């Protein structure tokens, strides 16, 4: 008191000073106890009362005593303005108000911009909503009590962020939640976080529940009509509340039933069948077109399309995809129109596919930047920054640089395809940006594991970051993929581009200048990949590929590649006539970018004897086709019925085919779960074509609409039919004029007929100069071959073994 030049009197009897009034000076009473009879006596007589901390505070700052019309014990809440909400006990609130005044704070009845802190007992009410919107700290009454306990600490202030953080009102305070449509694991996780953030939970349907959190993607209809007191909200509300660290407004997240008219139309189309076989085939083709309609992207007209033909040939018809069967009938263009699809070059088709995957890839990179990186970097976030700058740099690395270079590649490809001609160079575009690719990719790919570890660690340690990821990963742009799954796309992109460039080169003539450019472009991509550390190679996956090559007879050697790994293996039975006959035992090997289709060998003749007498077991499987995953347009989950069980189908479109093909299979054995297999397949198809919405590739379908059945697969008649087909194929191969050597053909002719005919054929042998001459020669042994024995499908196997 001497330090602030104020005279003082020490007394044990406050009454001799408390009753008198003096106009010459003001008496200020310093009391150590604001809950004593002396305090009550002085307070009732409107005396000015302060506590020792006020004196010490003023002395330290060399200021005169603080003036307050109310008793002031300390300055713990000096300059703070508080507002209360949700209190029902008036006596408790009165006590809190007195403590705030004793610590130098002020109280406001209505919430306004001048309020610095909101004291809330409940997360309901308008004041709470305003505080959330304005970013005002919302604290529990315990904050005031704890601050009062530290009233004698002169250096302490209740507004310190480190102190007040532990008193934040949790987002689910006084909320009772229930969860509908979630898996058991996800539900347990959400229930645990509900308790951690101040709420409680009960089962769906309990009358005490205040909120029902719904997984909108799996729940089609609510089990009951919610009452007015129950909020039916999407899961985004739950995670948004955790991210903001405050209860989000329910009106923005109310659950609404979502019916897709387009999908209803597609499903209704599947139920249409007719007894006529030709009409059935046409209906099946239209159904496949409808099923693949949503997955096709064609921003370009066919090559050199005339403006006058726009009304005759739509973009949809270019891909043999029509909205209705009727449009298919009238889709034939006139002579003056553009050439029909069958005349479009395979080079253009694969180049278009390169553009489509590039466009999808750029969209995914944009999603990473727009949904994750930019919001995390945004200043002034509710609750403060979610991640530190160092963590941001580790997670996203050079993604902006990769996005920039691929945006320009996409633009150049778009210009090239918009004014297409066969002499246009695709290789030049990749070569143009090869240096930038070398600069952008290795830093990201080499440190991808560190990025992944940082995401996992932050998600575990920071609840707000976990909630942030949950909100954004549930958005349609992410296709239900996690941030880690999206960030792995740059790791997979360059090998996919190399595959497509190799495919374009395969369909490029030798005299085309782009042939050399494509070879150089492929080499440039390999150069980029060599800059990526060798420890990124999956050695175990490489070993599995060698096992597949040894197990499958005729398996293409180009299956062996440093970037490829085996993902899944399933045993099936073919249900259609493609890619092999119905009833064949087929093994599907799913790799990260392709699908190897192999059938069980019919009869194995052991010809692998060595001179020493040791034998090597022959391969049990026979290669059918090696199909890039980019050719799969739709995966059909066939519903179980009396006629069909545990079956699925693939809608396939090779670049050299003009119509969609249907491959249908039945899973064999109980170890493979169909839903798990189909999800894994769709995930890798989406990765290959650079799409995020892998779930959209799956569609549950009625098998009758696709004329698929698993009935009588093991009947005697079915086995006999397959035996006949096998025999007919052997005959067809013996007289094949496209793949059989000339000598074999001549032997086949010599082996049939009478001795006179043989001598005549010998005399004609020298005159047979080409396979075309043989094709014109009439063969009695081929007259009565049924048309069903003809091999309809050759192009596919030739056009899909180009992988390296």
């Amino acid at each position: 008191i001497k330090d602030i030049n104020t005279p003082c009197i020490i007394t044990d009897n406050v009454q001799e000073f408390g009753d008198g009034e003096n106009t010459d000076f003001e008496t200020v009473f310093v009391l150590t106890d604001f809950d004593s009879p002396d305090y009550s006596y002085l307070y009732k007589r409107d005396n000015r009362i302060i506590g020792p901390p006020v004196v010490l505070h003023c002395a330290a700052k060399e200021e005169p005593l603080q003036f307050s019309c109310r008793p002031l014990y300390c300055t713990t809440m000096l300059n703070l303005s508080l507002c209360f909400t949700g209190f029902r006990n008036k006596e408790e609130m009165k006590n809190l108000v007195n403590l705030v005044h004793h610590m130098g704070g002020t109280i406001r009845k209505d919430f306004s911009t001048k309020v610095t802190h909101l004291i809330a007992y409940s997360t309901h009410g308008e004041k709470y909503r305003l505080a959330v919107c304005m970013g005002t700290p919302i604290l529990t009454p315990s904050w005031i009590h704890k601050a009062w306990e530290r009233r004698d600490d002169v250096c302490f202030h209740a507004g310190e962020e480190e102190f007040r953080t532990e008193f934040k009102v949790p987002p689910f305070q006084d909320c009772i939640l229930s969860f509908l449509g979630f898996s058991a694991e996800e539900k347990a996780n959400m229930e645990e976080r509900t308790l951690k953030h101040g709420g409680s939970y009960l089962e769906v349907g309990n009358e005490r529940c205040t909120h029902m959190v719904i997984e909108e993607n799996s729940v089609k209809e609510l089990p009951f009509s919610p009452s007015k007191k129950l909020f039916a909200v999407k899961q985004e509300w739950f995670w948004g509340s955790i991210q903001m660290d405050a209860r989000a407004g329910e009106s923005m997240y109310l659950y609404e039933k979502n019916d897709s008219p387009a999908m209803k139309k597609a499903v209704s189309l599947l139920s249409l069948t007719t007894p006529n076989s030709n009409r059935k085939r046409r209906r099946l083709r239209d159904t496949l077109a409808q099923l693949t309609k949503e997955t096709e992207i064609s921003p370009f007209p066919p090559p050199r399309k005339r403006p006058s033909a726009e009304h005759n040939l739509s973009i949809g018809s270019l891909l043999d995809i029509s909205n209705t069967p009727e449009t298919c009938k009238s889709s034939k263009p006139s002579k003056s129109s553009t050439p029909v699809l069958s005349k479009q070059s395979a080079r253009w088709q694969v180049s278009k596919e390169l553009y489509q995957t590039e466009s999808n890839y750029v969209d995914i990179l944009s999603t990473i930047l727009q949904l994750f990186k930019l919001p995390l970097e945004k200043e002034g976030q509710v609750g403060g920054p979610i991640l530190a700058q160092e963590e941001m740099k580790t997670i996203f690395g050079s993604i902006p640089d990769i996005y920039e270079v691929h945006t320009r590649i996409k633009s150049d490809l778009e210009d090239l395809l918009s004014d297409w001609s066969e002499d246009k160079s695709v290789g030049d575009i990749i070569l143009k940006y090869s240096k930038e690719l070398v600069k952008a990719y290795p830093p990201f790919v080499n440190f991808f594991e560190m990025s992944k570890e940082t995401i996992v660690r932050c998600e575990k340690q920071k609840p707000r970051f976990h909630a942030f990821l949950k909100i954004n990963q549930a958005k349609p742009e992410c296709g239900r993929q996690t941030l880690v799954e999206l960030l792995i796309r740059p790791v997979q992109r360059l090998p996919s581009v190399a595959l497509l460039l190799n495919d374009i080169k395969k369909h490029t003539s030798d005299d085309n200048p782009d042939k050399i450019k494509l070879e150089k472009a492929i080499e440039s991509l390999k150069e980029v990949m060599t800059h990526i550390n060798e420890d990124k190679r999956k050695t175990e996956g490489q070993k599995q590929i060698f096992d597949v090559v040894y197990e499958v007879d005729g398996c293409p050697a180009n299956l062996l590649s440093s970037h490829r790994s085996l993902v899944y293996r399933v045993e099936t039975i073919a249900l259609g006539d493609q890619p092999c006959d119905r009833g064949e035992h087929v093994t599907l090997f799913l790799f990260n970018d392709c699908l190897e289709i192999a059938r069980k060998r019919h009869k194995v003749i052991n010809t692998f004897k060595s001179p020493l007498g040791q034998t090597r077991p022959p391969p049990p499987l026979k290669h059918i086709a090696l199909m890039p995953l980019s050719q799969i347009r739709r995966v059909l989950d066939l519903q179980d019925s009396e006629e069909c069980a545990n079956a699925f189908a693939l809608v396939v479109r090779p670049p050299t085919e003009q119509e969609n093909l249907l491959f249908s299979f039945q899973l064999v054995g109980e170890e493979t779960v169909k839903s798990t297999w189909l999800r894994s397949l769709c995930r890798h198809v989406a990765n290959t074509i650079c799409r995020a919405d892998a779930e959209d590739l799956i569609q549950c379908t009625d098998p009758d609409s696709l004329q698929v059945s698993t009935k009588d697969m093991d009947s005697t008649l079915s086995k006999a039919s397959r035996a006949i087909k096998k025999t007919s194929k052997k005959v067809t191969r013996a007289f094949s004029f496209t793949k059989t050597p000339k000598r074999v053909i001549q032997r086949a002719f010599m082996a049939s007929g009478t001795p006179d005919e043989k001598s005549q054929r010998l005399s004609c042998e020298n005159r047979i100069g080409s396979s075309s001459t043989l094709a014109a020669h009439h063969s009695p042994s081929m007259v009565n071959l049924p048309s069903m024995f003809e091999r309809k499908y050759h192009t596919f196997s030739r056009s899909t073994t180009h992988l390296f």
Side-chain angles (χ1 to χ4, degrees):
I1 290 175
K2 289 180 180 178
D3 290 344
I4 53 177
N5 300 317
T6 303
C8 63
I9 301 173
I10 300 175
T11 180
D12 292 329
N13 184 10
V14 297
Q15 295 181 4
E16 60 177 297
F17 298 99
D19 291 334
E21 289 186 5
N22 196 313
T23 57
D24 296 332
F25 54 86
E26 180 185 14
T27 304
V28 180
F29 294 88
V30 182
L31 271 68
T32 58
D33 187 2
F34 273 32
D35 193 22
S36 62
D38 288 341
Y39 170 83
S40 300
Y41 179 84
L42 294 172
Y43 179 69
K44 288 178 182 178
R45 285 159 180 77
D46 294 328
N47 286 289
R48 187 177 170 188
I49 308 171
I50 61 172
V54 174
V55 178
L56 297 172
H57 172 82
C58 294
K61 292 194 172 185
E62 297 182 353
E63 296 176 352
L65 290 173
Q66 295 278 349
F67 175 80
S68 175
C69 57
R70 300 184 181 91
L72 180 65
Y73 184 85
C74 61
T75 57
T76 300
M77 287 192 175
L78 194 66
N79 300 323
L80 299 186
S81 180
L82 279 60
C83 185
F84 291 83
T85 183
F87 287 81
R88 295 181 179 178
N89 188 329
K90 291 186 177 180
E91 193 63 33
E92 179 188 9
M93 186 172 173
K94 181 181 177 182
N95 181 40
L96 290 171
V97 168
N98 285 334
L99 292 179
V100 172
H101 286 153
H102 292 343
M103 291 184 285
T106 58
I107 304 294
R108 292 184 179 273
K109 183 179 180 181
D110 298 320
F111 188 87
S112 66
T113 54
K114 295 181 179 180
V115 173
T116 59
H117 298 77
L118 179 69
I119 311 302
Y121 241 135
S122 168
T123 56
H124 298 280
E126 186 180 353
K127 290 180 180 178
Y128 181 88
R129 290 277 168 265
L130 289 170
V132 172
C133 293
M134 298 175 66
T136 304
I138 305 170
L139 308 175
T140 63
S142 301
W143 176 61
I144 298 174
H145 290 298
K146 288 291 182 181
W148 179 248
E149 289 177 8
R150 297 182 61 176
R151 59 187 179 275
D152 290 321
D153 186 350
V154 180
C155 299
F156 169 72
H157 193 271
E160 294 174 0
E161 186 175 356
E162 188 176 346
F163 171 72
R164 76 171 191 232
T165 299
E166 61 179 296
F167 303 105
K168 283 184 178 180
V169 172
F172 303 131
Q173 181 166 300
D174 71 352
C175 295
I176 303 174
L177 278 54
S178 59
F179 302 93
L180 179 65
F182 297 92
S183 64
E185 183 181 358
E186 185 70 8
K187 183 182 176 185
N189 175 38
M190 297 176 83
E191 287 174 347
E192 181 183 343
R193 292 182 181 277
T194 299
L195 295 175
K196 187 177 179 180
H197 291 87
S200 57
Y201 60 87
L202 293 170
E203 289 301 317
V204 172
N206 194 298
E207 294 181 356
R208 293 174 55 202
C209 290
T210 59
H211 295 77
M212 180 167 62
V213 184
I214 301 166
E215 212 291 315
E216 60 272 20
N217 294 313
S218 61
V219 176
K220 304 303 178 186
E221 290 186 9
L222 297 180
F224 59 91
S225 298
S227 63
K228 292 182 179 179
K229 295 181 179 179
L230 178 66
F231 291 105
V233 292
K234 301 175 185 177
Q235 61 172 326
E236 190 176 349
W237 171 85
F238 179 86
W239 298 113
S241 298
I242 295 176
Q243 181 192 328
M244 294 191 303
D245 209 9
R247 178 177 158 188
E250 290 82 3
S251 59
M252 295 174 60
Y253 305 100
L254 293 177
Y255 171 80
E256 295 177 358
K257 192 174 177 181
N258 185 23
D259 293 327
S260 172
M263 191 54 69
K264 281 186 174 179
K265 183 178 179 182
V267 173
S268 65
L269 245 183
L270 300 178
S271 62
L272 300 174
T273 57
T274 58
N276 185 279
S277 60
N278 289 331
R279 293 184 65 188
K280 275 187 178 181
R281 280 195 293 269
R282 187 167 62 249
R283 183 67 70 188
L284 176 61
R285 183 187 64 193
D286 294 337
T287 302
L288 295 179
Q290 181 68 26
L291 287 169
T292 58
K293 176 170 169 280
E294 294 182 12
T295 64
E296 295 282 3
I297 305 171
S298 181
F300 306 108
R304 297 179 181 177
K305 181 176 183 294
R306 298 177 188 174
S308 61
E310 289 181 359
H311 66 284
N312 288 326
L313 193 61
S314 65
I315 288 176
S317 65
L318 297 178
L319 297 168
D320 190 33
I321 291 171
S322 53
N323 295 333
T324 62
E326 286 73 19
T327 58
C328 220
K329 298 174 185 176
S330 60
S331 62
K332 293 182 180 179
S334 62
K335 291 182 179 180
S336 62
S337 177
T338 182
V340 294
L341 186 62
S342 60
K343 293 184 180 180
Q344 291 179 12
S345 69
R347 175 175 156 82
W348 182 79
Q349 293 279 5
V350 184
S351 299
K352 183 190 67 176
E353 187 176 344
L354 174 62
Y355 168 78
Q356 289 174 356
T357 58
E358 188 69 16
S359 179
N360 293 341
Y361 179 57
V362 170
D363 288 343
I364 286 175
L365 295 176
S366 177
T367 297
I368 294 171
L369 296 174
Q370 298 297 327
L371 277 189
F372 295 95
K373 188 174 186 293
L374 294 180
L376 286 170
E377 291 176 338
K378 188 177 180 181
E379 296 182 0
Q381 297 179 50
V382 177
I386 296 176
L387 292 179
Q389 285 297 322
E390 295 78 11
E391 293 167 335
M392 292 280 297
K393 190 175 290 186
T394 303
I395 291 173
F396 296 103
S398 59
I399 285 289
D401 298 331
I402 296 174
Y403 172 73
E404 184 181 349
V405 64
H406 278 278
T407 302
R408 283 185 277 162
I409 292 175
K410 172 194 168 185
S411 177
D412 287 0
L413 286 172
E414 187 171 353
D415 294 340
L416 179 114
L417 288 173
S418 297
D419 185 24
W420 173 264
S421 63
E422 289 297 314
D423 58 349
K424 289 291 180 71
S425 178
V426 180
D428 269 342
I429 295 176
I430 305 300
L431 289 171
K432 178 180 176 182
Y433 297 101
S434 59
K435 290 183 180 179
E436 295 178 57
L437 293 173
V438 171
K439 185 179 178 181
Y441 268 93
F444 178 83
V445 177
N446 290 336
F447 293 96
F448 173 72
E449 290 301 322
M450 189 184 296
S451 301
K452 182 178 175 182
E453 290 170 5
T454 303
I455 293 172
V456 173
R457 175 176 54 79
C458 291
E459 192 173 4
K460 286 181 179 179
Q461 297 177 356
K462 301 185 177 185
R464 291 181 61 215
F465 181 61
H466 176 78
F468 172 82
L469 292 181
K470 283 288 185 181
I471 293 170
N472 290 288
Q473 288 166 180
K475 292 180 179 178
E477 299 95 308
C478 292
R480 300 189 192 181
Q481 285 194 281
T482 63
L483 177 58
V484 172
E485 289 172 327
L486 291 173
L487 284 172
I488 203 173
R489 294 305 178 83
V491 180
Q492 301 169 333
R493 180 57 186 160
L494 293 186
S496 299
V497 173
L499 286 175
L500 288 168
L501 291 179
N502 196 60
D503 201 4
I504 296 171
K505 187 184 81 171
K506 178 177 177 288
H507 297 294
T508 302
S509 60
D510 293 337
D511 59 346
N512 192 324
D514 195 30
K515 188 96 171 181
I516 299 174
K517 296 289 180 63
L518 285 167
E519 291 175 354
K520 290 182 179 179
I522 294 169
E523 287 301 319
S524 71
L525 290 180
K526 288 182 179 179
E527 182 186 348
V528 178
M529 289 185 270
T530 58
H531 281 78
I532 297 170
N533 291 338
E534 287 301 319
D535 59 1
K536 297 293 179 287
R537 310 297 184 193
K538 298 179 180 178
T539 53
E540 185 60 31
Q542 298 294 304
K543 179 180 177 298
Q544 291 175 330
I545 299 180
F546 277 102
D547 294 339
V548 173
V549 172
Y550 287 126
E551 188 177 359
V552 180
D553 183 24
C555 183
N558 52 26
L559 179 68
L560 295 169
S561 180
S562 59
H563 71 271
R564 189 167 292 128
S565 59
L566 181 64
V567 178
Y568 219 115
R569 171 181 177 155
V570 292
E571 302 295 333
T572 69
I573 296 176
L575 300 179
D577 57 354
Q578 293 176 351
C580 60
D581 294 330
R582 175 180 167 84
E584 294 273 16
H585 285 262
V586 177
T587 302
L588 302 178
F589 298 94
L590 174 63
F591 295 90
N592 56 308
D593 62 348
C594 62
L595 186 69
E596 165 63 22
I597 305 174
R599 64 166 173 80
K600 186 178 180 181
R601 297 189 70 173
H602 300 147
K603 187 177 181 181
V604 179
I605 301 173
N606 194 0
T607 59
F608 295 91
K609 225 175 234 190
S610 71
L612 299 176
Q614 297 174 339
T615 59
R616 180 165 63 109
L621 301 174
K622 181 74 175 176
H623 167 75
I624 297 176
L626 182 60
M627 180 174 66
L629 295 182
S630 59
Q631 294 180 6
I632 298 177
R633 296 295 190 251
R634 181 77 78 177
V635 176
L636 304 179
D637 183 359
L638 302 183
Q639 300 168 349
D640 288 346
S641 64
E642 294 181 1
E643 300 288 330
C644 189
N646 208 23
F648 68 96
L650 307 177
V651 182
V652 178
R653 182 73 170 277
T656 51
E657 289 291 326
Q658 309 310 319
E659 291 185 359
N660 297 310
L661 306 176
L662 182 69
F663 295 176
S664 52
F665 305 93
Q666 180 186 28
L667 289 171
V668 179
E670 298 180 356
E671 63 277 1
T672 302
V673 179
K674 184 167 73 168
S675 59
T676 305
W677 152 247
L678 295 182
R679 280 198 299 269
S680 181
L681 174 61
C682 287
R683 171 57 53 221
H684 286 85
V685 171
N687 288 350
T688 303
I689 62 176
C690 291
R691 284 185 55 171
D693 52 346
E695 295 292 332
D696 290 347
L697 292 171
I698 301 181
Q699 182 164 327
C700 193
T701 309
D702 179 15
D704 292 339
S705 63
L706 301 174
Q707 304 155 29
V708 175
S709 172
T710 60
K711 197 174 181 182
D712 301 328
M713 288 296 296
D714 296 322
S715 66
T716 305
L717 183 62
S718 177
K719 291 178 180 178
S721 174
R722 291 200 293 272
I724 293 172
K725 284 188 177 182
K726 291 171 189 175
T727 306
S728 67
K729 282 189 176 182
K730 291 177 182 177
V731 176
T732 304
R733 282 195 294 268
F735 292 97
S736 171
F737 297 116
T738 57
K739 293 185 177 182
T740 312
K742 198 183 301 179
R743 289 180 183 175
V744 178
I745 298 169
Q746 292 168 358
R747 284 176 196 162
F749 270 76
M750 292 298 294
S752 63
T754 63
D756 293 337
E757 290 174 344
K758 289 181 182 179
S759 60
Q760 289 175 5
R761 285 169 190 163
L762 279 171
S763 63
C764 294
E765 185 176 353
N766 294 328
R767 291 199 300 270
I768 298 176
S770 66
S771 60
S772 61
T773 312
L774 283 170
H777 194 278
H778 183 67
S779 173
S781 60
M782 297 183 68
V783 171
N784 297 320
L785 284 179
S787 59
M788 64 176 287
F789 294 154
E790 293 177 3
R791 182 69 169 176
K792 298 177 182 178
Y793 185 65
H794 295 296
T795 313
F796 178 77
S797 60
R798 292 202 303 273
S799 64
T800 54
T801 54
H802 57 270
L803 304 178
F804 68 93

